Amino acid sequence: MANDNGWGDGAANNAIGWGQGANNAISWGKSHSLSSAGLTDIVGVTTDSDAQAFITAAAITDSTQQAAINTLVTDLKDASIWSKLLVFYPFVGGTALSNSKNLKNTSFGTLSYSTGVTHGTLGIKGNGSSYADTGLKSTTIGFTQNNAASGIYMQSWAANQTMAYGHFGNLTLYKGLPVLYPMINNGLAPTLTPSSFNGFFQMSRNSSLNFLFKDKNSAASTIIAGSGALNSTLNLYVCYANNYGGLADWISCNYYATGLTETDLTNMYTAVQAFQTTLGRQI
């Protein structure tokens, strides 16, 4: 029997056919793969919840930037580094808002900027006296004397510029031509001659003597350097070392973490370099 609603015959005589599926204007017989939700489910394109929290807080609307952030987070988690991070500033989005947010925890370590900091596609740039203030100290961010790490991505560190970040006497990276003097706490500052003064520099301490350093062209290496107590009074800065001086250079990311191993530093470099390459600002 043919009904107005066609419940008896199925699809053949009906405008909406529940029985047949493929010949209907609305086809319940086929999967949901043509819906927007179905595409996400089938292709597997999902956004990590921590990446999404940052994207939302930093108001990142560019799809390439969103994808780069998501990949960075998942790469760091896959490498078992994410849990060791304390703060990570990816400096993506080109605004004071986007560049203020901590990727690891958007409600912790939000940067505040002094007058003179420029925001752009390469990240942030100081003028020699301007700075970004984390509002955190070495003793409150999560460091202990022999368990701390940090890294910074420099675009064009020019001659005669001084401290890149942190505060003098604890977590600093100082360029004294033609060498670097990195320091993780109040211990000895190793004298290093890097292959380049641009790119990604990392340092880590995970014992009272072992100081690890990695630049963009070398494997992480162990340097014997003594440690000292952490400074409990000065906030950690970016593009300026609190209580010393700063630089006028583009910085494309900065992180602080608990002590990282040589493998961690290498994996961190791989993840960050892939991130910068996606954004077209790799060194």
Side-chain angles (χ1 to χ4, degrees), residues 5-24 26-30:
N5 291 328
W7 299 101
D9 291 352
N13 296 325
N14 305 318
I16 299 177
W18 301 94
Q20 204 171 48
N23 294 332
N24 305 318
I26 299 177
S27 171
W28 300 96
K30 195 168 182 174

Side-chain angles (χ1 to χ4, degrees), residues 12-191:
N13 296 325
N14 305 318
I16 299 177
W18 301 94
Q20 204 171 48
N23 294 332
N24 305 318
I26 299 177
S27 171
W28 300 96
K30 195 168 182 174
S31 79
H32 65 303
S33 62
L34 295 181
S35 68
S36 58
L39 285 172
T40 300
D41 293 344
I42 290 173
V43 177
V45 179
T46 57
T47 302
D48 178 273
S49 59
D50 290 307
Q52 186 58 59
F54 175 84
I55 289 167
T56 300
I60 304 296
T61 59
D62 180 85
S63 60
T64 299
Q65 295 172 355
Q66 290 176 345
I69 292 163
N70 188 61
T71 299
L72 175 62
V73 171
T74 57
D75 284 349
L76 293 175
K77 289 184 176 182
D78 289 344
S80 299
I81 297 173
W82 182 258
S83 61
K84 300 178 183 180
L85 284 175
L86 302 171
V87 296
F88 192 111
Y89 303 110
F91 298 132
V92 59
T95 70
L97 171 65
S98 66
N99 287 337
S100 71
K101 297 301 181 181
N102 169 16
L103 178 63
K104 178 62 187 292
N105 181 347
T106 58
S107 62
F108 178 75
T110 300
L111 292 172
S112 59
Y113 289 97
S114 71
T115 300
V117 176
T118 301
H119 302 272
T121 57
L122 292 178
I124 67 169
K125 182 179 182 181
N127 62 11
S129 60
S130 56
Y131 57 87
D133 185 354
T134 67
L136 304 170
K137 299 174 176 60
S138 292
T139 50
T140 62
I141 196 175
F143 292 146
T144 59
Q145 179 175 329
N146 298 314
N147 189 22
S150 64
I152 192 163
Y153 203 101
M154 313 286 287
Q155 289 289 337
S156 56
W157 199 1
N160 301 318
Q161 295 195 81
T162 58
M163 299 290 193
Y165 68 112
H167 53 68
F168 183 59
N170 268 169
L171 201 78
T172 54
L173 190 65
Y174 170 66
K175 179 182 177 183
L177 293 178
V179 295
L180 290 179
Y181 300 99
M183 180 178 287
I184 202 77
N185 54 27
N186 285 329
L188 300 175
T191 301

